[in-house]
Coordinates of all heavy atoms in Angstrom, one line a residue:
M9 N 0.8 -1.3 0.0 CA 0.0 0.0 0.0 C 0.9 1.3 0.0 O 0.4 2.3 -0.3 CB -1.0 0.0 1.2 CG -2.0 -0.9 1.2 SD -3.3 -0.7 0.1 CE -4.2 0.7 0.7
R10 N 2.1 1.2 0.4 CA 2.9 2.4 0.5 C 3.1 3.0 -0.9 O 2.9 4.3 -1.0 CB 4.2 1.9 1.1 CG 5.0 3.1 1.4 CD 4.5 3.8 2.7 NE 5.4 4.9 3.0 CZ 5.0 6.0 3.6 NH1 3.7 6.2 3.9 NH2 5.8 6.9 4.0
P11 N 3.4 2.4 -2.0 CA 3.6 3.1 -3.3 C 2.4 3.8 -3.7 O 2.4 4.9 -4.3 CB 4.0 2.0 -4.2 CG 4.6 0.9 -3.4 CD 3.8 1.0 -2.1
T12 N 1.2 3.3 -3.5 CA -0.1 3.9 -3.9 C -0.3 5.3 -3.2 O -0.7 6.2 -3.8 CB -1.2 3.0 -3.6 OG1 -1.0 1.7 -4.2 CG2 -2.5 3.5 -4.2
Q13 N 0.1 5.3 -1.9 CA -0.1 6.5 -1.2 C 0.8 7.6 -1.7 O 0.5 8.8 -1.8 CB 0.1 6.3 0.3 CG -0.9 5.5 1.0 CD -0.6 5.2 2.4 OE1 0.5 5.5 2.9 NE2 -1.5 4.6 3.1
V14 N 2.1 7.2 -2.1 CA 3.0 8.2 -2.6 C 2.5 8.8 -4.0 O 2.5 9.9 -4.2 CB 4.4 7.5 -2.8 CG1 5.4 8.5 -3.6 CG2 5.0 7.3 -1.4
L15 N 2.0 7.9 -4.8 CA 1.5 8.3 -6.2 C 0.2 9.3 -6.0 O 0.1 10.2 -6.8 CB 1.1 7.1 -7.0 CG 2.2 6.3 -7.6 CD1 1.7 5.1 -8.3 CD2 3.1 7.2 -8.5
R16 N -0.6 9.0 -5.0 CA -1.8 9.9 -4.8 C -1.4 11.1 -4.1 O -2.1 12.1 -4.1 CB -2.9 9.1 -4.1 CG -3.5 8.0 -4.9 CD -4.6 7.4 -4.2 NE -5.1 6.3 -5.0 CZ -5.9 5.4 -4.6 NH1 -6.3 5.4 -3.4 NH2 -6.3 4.5 -5.4
G17 N -0.3 11.2 -3.5 CA 0.1 12.3 -2.6 C 0.5 13.5 -3.5 O 0.3 14.7 -3.1
G18 N 1.1 13.3 -4.6 CA 1.6 14.4 -5.5 C 2.8 15.1 -4.9 O 3.4 14.6 -4.0
G19 N 3.2 16.2 -5.5 CA 4.4 16.9 -5.0 C 5.7 16.3 -5.5 O 5.7 15.5 -6.4
D20 N 6.8 16.8 -5.0 CA 8.1 16.4 -5.4 C 8.6 15.2 -4.5 O 9.5 15.4 -3.8 CB 9.1 17.5 -5.3 CG 8.8 18.6 -6.4 OD1 8.3 18.2 -7.5 OD2 9.1 19.8 -6.2
V21 N 7.9 14.1 -4.6 CA 8.3 13.0 -3.9 C 9.2 12.1 -4.7 O 8.9 11.8 -5.8 CB 7.1 12.1 -3.4 CG1 7.5 10.9 -2.6 CG2 6.1 13.0 -2.6
P22 N 10.4 11.7 -4.2 CA 11.3 10.9 -5.1 C 10.6 9.6 -5.5 O 10.0 8.9 -4.7 CB 12.5 10.6 -4.2 CG 12.4 11.8 -3.1 CD 11.0 12.1 -3.0
L23 N 10.7 9.3 -6.8 CA 10.1 8.0 -7.2 C 10.9 7.6 -8.4 O 11.1 8.3 -9.4 CB 8.6 8.4 -7.6 CG 7.8 7.2 -8.2 CD1 7.6 6.1 -7.1 CD2 6.5 7.6 -8.7
G24 N 11.2 6.4 -8.5 CA 11.9 5.7 -9.6 C 13.2 6.3 -9.9 O 13.8 7.0 -9.1
K25 N 13.7 6.0 -11.2 CA 15.1 6.3 -11.4 C 15.2 7.8 -11.8 O 16.4 8.3 -11.8 CB 15.6 5.5 -12.6 CG 14.9 5.7 -13.9 CD 15.6 4.7 -14.9 CE 14.9 4.9 -16.3 NZ 15.6 4.1 -17.3
Y26 N 14.1 8.5 -12.1 CA 14.2 9.9 -12.5 C 14.2 10.9 -11.2 O 14.5 12.0 -11.4 CB 13.1 10.3 -13.4 CG 13.1 9.6 -14.7 CD1 12.1 8.7 -15.0 CD2 14.2 9.7 -15.6 CE1 12.2 8.0 -16.3 CE2 14.3 9.1 -16.8 CZ 13.3 8.2 -17.1 OH 13.3 7.4 -18.3
G27 N 13.8 10.4 -10.1 CA 14.0 11.1 -8.9 C 12.9 12.1 -8.7 O 12.9 12.9 -7.7
S28 N 11.7 12.2 -9.4 CA 10.7 13.1 -9.1 C 9.3 12.5 -9.6 O 9.3 11.8 -10.5 CB 10.9 14.5 -9.7 OG 10.9 14.4 -11.1
Y29 N 8.3 12.9 -9.0 CA 6.9 12.6 -9.3 C 6.6 13.3 -10.6 O 6.7 14.5 -10.7 CB 6.0 12.9 -8.1 CG 4.5 12.8 -8.4 CD1 3.9 11.5 -8.6 CD2 3.7 13.8 -8.5 CE1 2.6 11.3 -8.9 CE2 2.4 13.7 -8.8 CZ 1.8 12.4 -8.9 OH 0.5 12.3 -9.2
I30 N 6.1 12.6 -11.6 CA 5.8 13.3 -12.8 C 4.4 13.8 -13.0 O 4.0 14.4 -14.0 CB 6.0 12.3 -14.1 CG1 5.1 11.1 -14.0 CG2 7.5 11.9 -14.1 CD1 5.1 10.2 -15.2
G31 N 3.6 13.7 -12.0 CA 2.2 14.4 -12.0 C 1.1 13.4 -12.3 O 1.3 12.2 -12.5
P32 N -0.1 13.9 -12.2 CA -1.3 13.0 -12.4 C -1.4 12.6 -13.9 O -0.6 13.1 -14.8 CB -2.5 13.9 -12.0 CG -2.0 15.3 -12.2 CD -0.5 15.3 -11.9
W33 N -2.4 11.9 -14.2 CA -2.6 11.4 -15.5 C -2.8 12.5 -16.6 O -3.5 13.5 -16.3 CB -3.9 10.5 -15.6 CG -4.2 10.0 -17.0 CD1 -5.2 10.6 -17.8 CD2 -3.6 8.9 -17.7 NE1 -5.2 9.8 -19.0 CE2 -4.2 8.9 -18.9 CE3 -2.6 8.1 -17.4 CZ2 -3.9 7.9 -19.9 CZ3 -2.2 7.1 -18.3 CH2 -2.9 7.1 -19.5
G34 N -2.1 12.5 -17.7 CA -2.2 13.5 -18.7 C -1.3 14.8 -18.4 O -1.2 15.7 -19.2
A35 N -0.5 14.8 -17.3 CA 0.4 15.9 -17.1 C 1.5 15.8 -18.1 O 2.0 14.8 -18.5 CB 0.9 15.8 -15.7
T36 N 2.0 17.0 -18.4 CA 3.1 17.1 -19.3 C 4.5 17.2 -18.7 O 5.5 17.5 -19.3 CB 3.0 18.3 -20.3 OG1 2.9 19.4 -19.4 CG2 1.7 18.2 -21.1
G37 N 4.6 16.8 -17.4 CA 5.8 16.8 -16.7 C 6.7 15.7 -17.3 O 6.4 15.0 -18.1
G38 N 7.9 15.6 -16.7 CA 8.9 14.7 -17.1 C 10.3 15.1 -16.7 O 10.4 15.9 -15.9
Q39 N 11.2 14.3 -17.3 CA 12.5 14.7 -16.9 C 12.9 16.1 -17.4 O 12.5 16.5 -18.5 CB 13.4 13.6 -17.6 CG 14.8 13.6 -17.1 CD 15.7 12.5 -17.7 OE1 15.2 11.9 -18.7 NE2 16.8 12.2 -17.2
K40 N 13.7 16.7 -16.6 CA 14.1 18.1 -17.0 C 14.9 18.1 -18.2 O 15.7 17.2 -18.4 CB 14.9 18.7 -15.8 CG 14.0 19.0 -14.6 CD 14.8 19.7 -13.6 CE 14.0 20.0 -12.4 NZ 14.7 20.7 -11.3
Q41 N 14.7 19.0 -19.1 CA 15.5 19.1 -20.4 C 16.9 19.6 -20.1 O 17.0 20.6 -19.4 CB 14.7 20.0 -21.4 CG 13.4 19.5 -21.8 CD 13.4 18.2 -22.5 OE1 14.2 18.1 -23.4 NE2 12.6 17.3 -22.2
R42 N 17.8 19.0 -20.8 CA 19.2 19.5 -20.7 C 19.7 19.5 -22.1 O 19.3 18.9 -23.0 CB 20.0 18.5 -19.9 CG 19.6 18.3 -18.5 CD 20.5 17.4 -17.7 NE 20.0 17.3 -16.4 CZ 20.3 16.3 -15.5 NH1 21.0 15.3 -15.9 NH2 19.8 16.3 -14.3
G43 N 20.6 20.5 -22.3 CA 21.3 20.6 -23.6 C 21.6 22.0 -23.9 O 21.7 22.9 -23.0
I44 N 21.7 22.3 -25.2 CA 22.1 23.6 -25.6 C 20.9 24.5 -25.7 O 19.9 24.2 -26.3 CB 22.8 23.6 -27.0 CG1 24.0 22.7 -27.0 CG2 23.0 24.9 -27.6 CD1 24.6 22.4 -28.3
I45 N 21.0 25.7 -25.1 CA 19.9 26.6 -25.1 C 20.3 27.8 -26.0 O 21.3 28.3 -25.9 CB 19.6 27.3 -23.7 CG1 19.2 26.1 -22.7 CG2 18.6 28.3 -23.7 CD1 19.1 26.5 -21.3
T46 N 19.4 28.0 -27.0 CA 19.7 29.1 -28.0 C 18.6 30.2 -27.8 O 17.4 29.8 -27.6 CB 19.7 28.5 -29.4 OG1 18.5 28.0 -29.7 CG2 20.8 27.5 -29.6
Y47 N 19.0 31.4 -28.1 CA 18.0 32.5 -28.1 C 18.1 33.2 -29.4 O 19.2 33.3 -30.0 CB 18.4 33.5 -26.9 CG 18.4 32.9 -25.6 CD1 19.5 32.4 -24.9 CD2 17.1 32.8 -24.9 CE1 19.4 31.9 -23.7 CE2 17.0 32.3 -23.6 CZ 18.2 31.8 -23.1 OH 18.1 31.3 -21.8
G48 N 17.0 33.6 -29.9 CA 17.0 34.3 -31.1 C 16.2 35.6 -31.0 O 15.4 35.9 -30.2
L49 N 16.5 36.5 -31.9 CA 15.9 37.8 -32.0 C 15.5 38.1 -33.4 O 16.3 37.9 -34.3 CB 16.8 38.9 -31.5 CG 16.3 40.3 -31.4 CD1 15.2 40.4 -30.2 CD2 17.4 41.3 -31.0
S50 N 14.2 38.3 -33.7 CA 13.7 38.5 -35.0 C 14.4 39.7 -35.7 O 14.8 40.7 -34.9 CB 12.2 38.6 -35.0 OG 11.8 39.9 -34.6
P51 N 14.6 39.7 -37.0 CA 15.3 40.8 -37.7 C 14.6 42.2 -37.5 O 15.3 43.2 -37.4 CB 15.3 40.4 -39.2 CG 15.2 38.9 -39.1 CD 14.3 38.6 -37.9
N52 N 13.3 42.2 -37.4 CA 12.6 43.5 -37.3 C 12.7 44.1 -35.9 O 12.4 45.2 -35.6 CB 11.1 43.4 -37.7 CG 10.4 42.5 -36.8 OD1 10.9 41.7 -36.1 ND2 9.0 42.6 -36.8
R53 N 13.2 43.3 -34.9 CA 13.4 43.7 -33.5 C 14.9 44.3 -33.4 O 15.1 45.0 -32.5 CB 13.1 42.7 -32.5 CG 11.7 42.2 -32.5 CD 10.8 43.2 -32.0 NE 11.0 43.3 -30.5 CZ 10.3 44.1 -29.7 NH1 9.4 44.9 -30.3 NH2 10.6 44.1 -28.4
Q54 N 15.7 43.8 -34.2 CA 17.2 44.2 -34.1 C 17.3 45.6 -34.5 O 17.8 46.4 -33.7 CB 18.0 43.3 -35.0 CG 18.1 41.9 -34.5 CD 18.9 41.0 -35.4 OE1 19.5 41.5 -36.4 NE2 18.8 39.7 -35.1
N55 N 17.1 46.0 -35.7 CA 17.2 47.4 -36.2 C 16.3 47.5 -37.4 O 16.6 47.3 -38.6 CB 18.6 47.7 -36.6 CG 18.8 49.2 -36.8 OD1 17.9 49.9 -36.7 ND2 20.0 49.6 -37.1
P56 N 15.0 47.9 -37.2 CA 14.0 47.8 -38.3 C 14.3 48.8 -39.4 O 13.8 48.5 -40.5 CB 12.7 48.1 -37.5 CG 13.1 48.9 -36.3 CD 14.4 48.3 -35.9
F57 N 15.0 49.9 -39.2 CA 15.2 50.9 -40.2 C 16.7 50.9 -40.7 O 17.2 51.9 -41.2 CB 14.9 52.3 -39.7 CG 13.3 52.4 -39.6 CD1 12.9 52.5 -38.3 CD2 12.5 52.5 -40.6 CE1 11.4 52.7 -38.1 CE2 11.2 52.6 -40.5 CZ 10.6 52.7 -39.2
A58 N 17.4 49.7 -40.5 CA 18.7 49.7 -40.9 C 18.8 49.8 -42.5 O 18.2 49.0 -43.2 CB 19.4 48.4 -40.5
G59 N 19.5 50.8 -43.0 CA 19.6 51.0 -44.4 C 18.4 51.5 -45.1 O 18.4 51.4 -46.4
A60 N 17.4 51.9 -44.4 CA 16.1 52.3 -45.0 C 16.3 53.5 -46.0 O 15.8 53.5 -47.1 CB 15.0 52.6 -44.0
G61 N 17.1 54.5 -45.6 CA 17.3 55.7 -46.4 C 18.0 55.2 -47.7 O 17.7 55.7 -48.8
H62 N 19.1 54.5 -47.5 CA 19.9 54.1 -48.7 C 19.1 53.3 -49.6 O 19.1 53.5 -50.8 CB 21.2 53.3 -48.1 CG 22.0 52.8 -49.2 ND1 21.9 51.6 -49.8 CD2 23.1 53.4 -49.8 CE1 22.8 51.5 -50.8 NE2 23.6 52.5 -50.8
D63 N 18.4 52.3 -49.1 CA 17.5 51.5 -49.9 C 16.5 52.3 -50.6 O 16.1 52.0 -51.7 CB 16.9 50.3 -49.1 CG 18.0 49.3 -48.7 OD1 19.1 49.4 -49.2 OD2 17.7 48.5 -47.7
A64 N 15.9 53.2 -49.9 CA 14.8 54.0 -50.5 C 15.2 54.8 -51.7 O 14.6 54.9 -52.7 CB 14.2 54.9 -49.5
I65 N 16.4 55.4 -51.6 CA 17.0 56.2 -52.7 C 17.3 55.3 -53.9 O 16.8 55.5 -55.1 CB 18.3 56.9 -52.3 CG1 17.9 58.0 -51.3 CG2 19.0 57.5 -53.4 CD1 19.0 58.6 -50.5
F66 N 18.0 54.2 -53.7 CA 18.4 53.4 -54.8 C 17.2 52.6 -55.4 O 17.2 52.3 -56.6 CB 19.6 52.6 -54.4 CG 20.9 53.4 -54.3 CD1 21.4 53.7 -53.1 CD2 21.5 53.8 -55.4 CE1 22.5 54.5 -52.9 CE2 22.7 54.6 -55.3 CZ 23.1 54.9 -54.1
N67 N 16.4 52.1 -54.5 CA 15.2 51.3 -55.0 C 14.3 52.2 -55.9 O 13.8 51.8 -56.8 CB 14.5 50.7 -53.9 CG 13.5 49.7 -54.3 OD1 13.6 49.0 -55.3 ND2 12.3 49.7 -53.6
T68 N 14.1 53.5 -55.4 CA 13.3 54.4 -56.1 C 13.9 54.7 -57.5 O 13.2 54.8 -58.5 CB 13.1 55.7 -55.3 OG1 12.5 55.4 -54.0 CG2 12.2 56.7 -56.0
F69 N 15.2 54.9 -57.5 CA 15.9 55.2 -58.8 C 15.7 54.0 -59.7 O 15.4 54.2 -60.9 CB 17.3 55.5 -58.6 CG 18.1 55.7 -59.8 CD1 17.9 56.8 -60.6 CD2 19.0 54.7 -60.3 CE1 18.6 57.0 -61.8 CE2 19.7 54.9 -61.5 CZ 19.5 56.0 -62.2
R70 N 15.9 52.8 -59.2 CA 15.8 51.6 -60.0 C 14.4 51.5 -60.6 O 14.2 51.2 -61.8 CB 16.2 50.3 -59.2 CG 16.0 49.0 -60.0 CD 16.1 47.8 -59.1 NE 15.1 47.8 -58.0 CZ 13.9 47.4 -58.1 NH1 13.5 46.9 -59.3 NH2 13.1 47.4 -57.1
R71 N 13.4 51.6 -59.8 CA 12.0 51.6 -60.3 C 11.6 52.6 -61.2 O 10.9 52.4 -62.2 CB 11.1 51.6 -59.1 CG 11.2 50.4 -58.2 CD 10.3 50.4 -56.9 NE 8.9 50.4 -57.3 CZ 7.9 50.4 -56.5 NH1 8.1 50.6 -55.2 NH2 6.7 50.3 -56.9
F72 N 12.1 53.9 -61.0 CA 11.9 55.0 -61.9 C 12.5 54.7 -63.3 O 11.9 54.9 -64.3 CB 12.5 56.3 -61.3 CG 12.5 57.4 -62.3 CD1 11.2 58.1 -62.5 CD2 13.6 57.8 -63.0 CE1 11.2 59.1 -63.4 CE2 13.5 58.8 -63.9 CZ 12.3 59.5 -64.1
R73 N 13.8 54.2 -63.3 CA 14.5 53.9 -64.5 C 13.8 52.8 -65.3 O 13.7 52.9 -66.5 CB 15.9 53.5 -64.1 CG 16.8 53.3 -65.3 CD 18.2 52.9 -65.0 NE 18.0 51.6 -64.3 CZ 19.0 51.0 -63.5 NH1 20.1 51.7 -63.3 NH2 18.8 49.8 -63.0
S74 N 13.2 51.8 -64.6 CA 12.5 50.8 -65.3 C 11.2 51.1 -65.9 O 10.7 50.5 -66.9 CB 12.4 49.5 -64.5 OG 11.5 49.8 -63.4
Q75 N 10.6 52.2 -65.4 CA 9.2 52.6 -65.8 C 9.2 53.9 -66.6 O 8.1 54.2 -67.2 CB 8.3 52.8 -64.6 CG 8.1 51.5 -63.9 CD 7.3 50.5 -64.7 OE1 6.4 50.8 -65.4 NE2 7.7 49.2 -64.6
V76 N 10.3 54.6 -66.7 CA 10.2 55.9 -67.3 C 9.9 55.9 -68.8 O 9.1 56.8 -69.3 CB 11.5 56.7 -67.0 CG1 12.6 56.2 -67.9 CG2 11.4 58.2 -67.3
L77 N 10.3 54.9 -69.5 CA 10.0 54.8 -70.9 C 8.5 54.4 -71.2 O 8.1 54.6 -72.3 CB 11.0 53.8 -71.6 CG 12.4 54.3 -71.6 CD1 13.3 53.2 -72.3 CD2 12.6 55.6 -72.3
Y78 N 7.9 54.0 -70.2 CA 6.4 53.7 -70.4 C 5.6 55.0 -70.1 O 4.5 55.1 -70.6 CB 5.9 52.6 -69.4 CG 6.6 51.2 -69.8 CD1 7.6 50.7 -69.0 CD2 6.1 50.5 -71.0 CE1 8.1 49.5 -69.4 CE2 6.7 49.3 -71.3 CZ 7.7 48.8 -70.5 OH 8.2 47.6 -70.8
I79 N 6.0 55.8 -69.2 CA 5.3 57.0 -68.7 C 5.6 58.3 -69.4 O 4.8 59.0 -69.8 CB 5.5 57.2 -67.2 CG1 5.1 55.8 -66.4 CG2 4.8 58.3 -66.6 CD1 3.7 55.5 -66.6
A80 N 6.9 58.5 -69.7 CA 7.3 59.8 -70.2 C 6.8 60.1 -71.6 O 6.3 61.2 -71.8 CB 8.9 59.9 -70.2
P81 N 6.9 59.2 -72.6 CA 6.5 59.6 -74.0 C 5.0 60.0 -74.0 O 4.7 61.0 -74.7 CB 6.8 58.3 -74.8 CG 7.9 57.6 -74.1 CD 7.6 57.9 -72.6
P82 N 4.0 59.3 -73.4 CA 2.7 59.8 -73.5 C 2.5 61.2 -72.9 O 1.8 62.0 -73.3 CB 1.9 58.8 -72.8 CG 2.7 57.5 -72.8 CD 4.1 58.0 -72.8
F83 N 3.2 61.4 -71.7 CA 3.1 62.7 -71.1 C 3.7 63.8 -71.9 O 3.2 64.9 -72.0 CB 3.8 62.7 -69.7 CG 2.9 62.2 -68.6 CD1 3.0 60.9 -68.2 CD2 1.8 63.0 -68.1 CE1 2.1 60.4 -67.2 CE2 1.0 62.5 -67.1 CZ 1.1 61.3 -66.6
I84 N 4.8 63.5 -72.6 CA 5.5 64.5 -73.5 C 4.6 64.8 -74.7 O 4.4 65.9 -75.1 CB 6.9 64.0 -73.9 CG1 7.9 64.0 -72.7 CG2 7.4 64.9 -75.0 CD1 9.1 63.4 -73.0
A85 N 4.0 63.8 -75.2 CA 3.1 64.0 -76.4 C 1.9 64.8 -76.0 O 1.4 65.7 -76.7 CB 2.6 62.6 -77.0
A86 N 1.3 64.4 -74.8 CA 0.2 65.2 -74.4 C 0.5 66.7 -74.1 O -0.3 67.5 -74.4 CB -0.4 64.5 -73.1
Y87 N 1.7 66.9 -73.5 CA 2.1 68.3 -73.3 C 2.2 69.1 -74.6 O 1.7 70.2 -74.7 CB 3.4 68.3 -72.6 CG 3.9 69.7 -72.4 CD1 3.4 70.6 -71.5 CD2 5.0 70.2 -73.3 CE1 3.9 71.9 -71.3 CE2 5.4 71.6 -73.1 CZ 4.9 72.3 -72.1 OH 5.3 73.6 -72.1
Y88 N 2.8 68.5 -75.6 CA 3.0 69.2 -76.9 C 1.6 69.4 -77.6 O 1.4 70.4 -78.2 CB 4.0 68.5 -77.8 CG 5.4 68.8 -77.4 CD1 6.2 67.9 -76.9 CD2 5.9 70.2 -77.5 CE1 7.5 68.2 -76.5 CE2 7.2 70.5 -77.1 CZ 8.0 69.5 -76.6 OH 9.3 69.8 -76.2
I89 N 0.8 68.4 -77.5 CA -0.6 68.6 -78.2 C -1.4 69.7 -77.4 O -2.0 70.5 -78.1 CB -1.3 67.2 -78.1 CG1 -0.7 66.2 -79.1 CG2 -2.8 67.4 -78.5 CD1 -1.2 64.8 -79.0
M90 N -1.4 69.7 -76.1 CA -2.1 70.7 -75.4 C -1.5 72.1 -75.6 O -2.2 73.2 -75.7 CB -2.1 70.5 -73.9 CG -3.0 69.4 -73.5 SD -4.8 69.8 -73.8 CE -5.0 71.2 -72.8
D91 N -0.1 72.2 -75.8 CA 0.5 73.5 -76.1 C 0.1 73.9 -77.4 O -0.2 75.1 -77.6 CB 2.0 73.3 -75.9 CG 2.7 74.6 -76.1 OD1 2.3 75.6 -75.4 OD2 3.7 74.7 -76.8
W92 N 0.1 73.0 -78.4 CA -0.3 73.4 -79.8 C -1.8 73.9 -79.8 O -2.2 74.9 -80.4 CB -0.1 72.3 -80.7 CG -0.7 72.6 -82.1 CD1 -0.2 73.2 -83.1 CD2 -2.0 72.1 -82.5 NE1 -1.1 73.3 -84.1 CE2 -2.2 72.6 -83.8 CE3 -3.1 71.4 -81.9 CZ2 -3.3 72.4 -84.5 CZ3 -4.2 71.2 -82.7 CH2 -4.4 71.7 -84.0
A93 N -2.7 73.1 -79.0 CA -4.1 73.4 -79.0 C -4.3 74.8 -78.4 O -5.1 75.6 -78.8 CB -4.9 72.3 -78.3
T94 N -3.6 75.1 -77.3 CA -3.8 76.4 -76.6 C -3.3 77.5 -77.5 O -4.0 78.6 -77.6 CB -2.9 76.4 -75.3 OG1 -3.4 75.2 -74.5 CG2 -3.2 77.6 -74.5
E95 N -2.2 77.4 -78.1 CA -1.7 78.4 -79.0 C -2.6 78.6 -80.2 O -2.9 79.8 -80.7 CB -0.3 78.1 -79.5 CG 0.8 78.3 -78.4 CD 2.2 77.9 -78.9 OE1 2.3 77.7 -80.2 OE2 3.1 77.9 -78.1
R96 N -3.1 77.5 -80.7 CA -4.1 77.6 -81.9 C -5.4 78.3 -81.5 O -5.9 79.2 -82.3 CB -4.3 76.2 -82.4 CG -5.3 76.1 -83.6 CD -4.6 76.6 -84.9 NE -5.5 76.3 -86.0 CZ -5.4 76.9 -87.1 NH1 -4.4 77.7 -87.4 NH2 -6.3 76.7 -88.1
N97 N -5.9 78.0 -80.4 CA -7.1 78.6 -79.8 C -6.8 80.1 -79.6 O -7.8 80.9 -80.0 CB -7.5 77.9 -78.5 CG -8.9 78.5 -78.1 OD1 -9.8 78.7 -78.9 ND2 -9.0 78.6 -76.8
Q98 N -5.7 80.5 -79.0 CA -5.5 81.9 -78.8 C -5.3 82.6 -80.2 O -5.8 83.8 -80.3 CB -4.2 82.1 -78.0 CG -4.4 81.7 -76.5 CD -3.1 81.7 -75.7 OE1 -2.0 82.0 -76.3 NE2 -3.2 81.5 -74.4
Y99 N -4.7 82.0 -81.1 CA -4.5 82.6 -82.4 C -6.0 82.8 -83.1 O -6.3 83.9 -83.7 CB -3.6 81.9 -83.3 CG -3.5 82.4 -84.7 CD1 -2.9 83.6 -85.0 CD2 -4.2 81.8 -85.8 CE1 -2.8 84.2 -86.3 CE2 -4.1 82.3 -87.0 CZ -3.5 83.5 -87.3 OH -3.5 84.0 -88.6
L100 N -6.8 81.8 -83.0 CA -8.1 81.8 -83.8 C -9.0 82.9 -83.1 O -9.9 83.4 -83.7 CB -8.7 80.4 -83.8 CG -8.0 79.5 -84.7 CD1 -8.8 78.1 -84.5 CD2 -8.1 79.9 -86.1
N101 N -8.8 83.1 -81.8 CA -9.6 84.1 -81.1 C -9.0 85.5 -81.1 O -9.5 86.5 -80.5 CB -9.9 83.7 -79.7 CG -10.9 82.5 -79.6 OD1 -11.8 82.5 -80.4 ND2 -10.6 81.6 -78.7
S102 N -7.8 85.6 -81.7 CA -7.2 86.9 -81.8 C -7.7 87.7 -83.0 O -8.5 87.2 -83.8 CB -5.7 86.8 -81.9 OG -5.3 86.2 -83.2
K103 N -7.3 89.0 -83.1 CA -7.8 89.8 -84.2 C -7.3 89.3 -85.6 O -8.0 89.2 -86.5 CB -7.3 91.2 -84.0 CG -7.9 92.3 -84.9 CD -7.5 93.6 -84.4 CE -8.3 94.7 -85.2 NZ -7.9 96.0 -84.8
A104 N -6.0 88.9 -85.6 CA -5.5 88.3 -86.8 C -6.1 87.0 -87.2 O -6.4 86.8 -88.4 CB -3.9 88.1 -86.7
G105 N -6.4 86.2 -86.2 CA -7.1 84.9 -86.5 C -8.5 85.0 -87.0 O -9.0 84.4 -87.9
R106 N -9.2 86.0 -86.4 CA -10.6 86.2 -86.9 C -10.6 86.8 -88.3 O -11.5 86.5 -89.1 CB -11.3 87.2 -85.9 CG -11.6 86.5 -84.6 CD -12.3 87.5 -83.7 NE -12.5 86.9 -82.3 CZ -13.7 86.6 -81.8 NH1 -14.8 86.9 -82.6 NH2 -13.8 86.1 -80.7
A107 N -9.6 87.6 -88.6 CA -9.5 88.2 -89.9 C -9.2 87.2 -90.9 O -9.7 87.2 -92.1 CB -8.5 89.4 -89.9
E108 N -8.3 86.2 -90.6 CA -7.9 85.2 -91.5 C -9.0 84.1 -91.7 O -9.3 83.7 -92.8 CB -6.6 84.6 -91.1 CG -6.1 83.6 -92.1 CD -4.7 83.0 -91.6 OE1 -4.1 83.5 -90.6 OE2 -4.3 82.0 -92.2
F109 N -9.6 83.7 -90.6 CA -10.5 82.5 -90.7 C -11.9 82.9 -90.3 O -12.8 82.1 -90.1 CB -10.1 81.4 -89.7 CG -8.8 80.8 -90.1 CD1 -7.6 81.1 -89.4 CD2 -8.6 79.9 -91.2 CE1 -6.4 80.6 -89.8 CE2 -7.4 79.4 -91.5 CZ -6.2 79.7 -90.8
G110 N -12.2 84.1 -90.2 CA -13.6 84.6 -89.8 C -14.7 84.2 -90.6 O -15.7 83.9 -90.2
E111 N -14.5 84.2 -92.0 CA -15.7 83.9 -92.8 C -15.8 82.4 -93.0 O -16.8 82.0 -93.6 CB -15.5 84.5 -94.2 CG -14.2 84.1 -95.0 CD -13.0 85.0 -94.7 OE1 -13.0 86.0 -94.0 OE2 -11.9 84.5 -95.0
E112 N -14.9 81.5 -92.6 CA -15.0 80.1 -92.7 C -16.0 79.5 -91.7 O -16.6 78.5 -92.0 CB -13.7 79.4 -92.6 CG -12.7 79.7 -93.7 CD -11.4 79.0 -93.6 OE1 -11.4 78.1 -92.7 OE2 -10.5 79.3 -94.2
E113 N -16.2 80.1 -90.6 CA -17.1 79.5 -89.6 C -18.5 79.8 -89.8 O -19.0 80.6 -90.4 CB -16.6 79.9 -88.2 CG -15.2 79.3 -87.8 CD -14.8 79.8 -86.4 OE1 -15.7 80.2 -85.6 OE2 -13.6 79.7 -86.2

């Protein structure tokens, strides 16, 4: 009857070759873990803005360089067309333009 009383008693009672009571049914206790302990620190906790300014400048330049030929020509064409249309409208509404093209409208 003596081993049964020890098992039901709980606590840190020496038992078996491991030297401690491992707990009731379903407990996750067991032999103490031994070995190498490692610690880690995630990269965003170390220095989250390391090189952010440098990367922002060069990444922005790289992205601009790769997209400029898709964006610039339509904007340049639109600028010259609007400039021509504005000058043409101003000329047609001027005294010289009305005298030249006044009877056509």
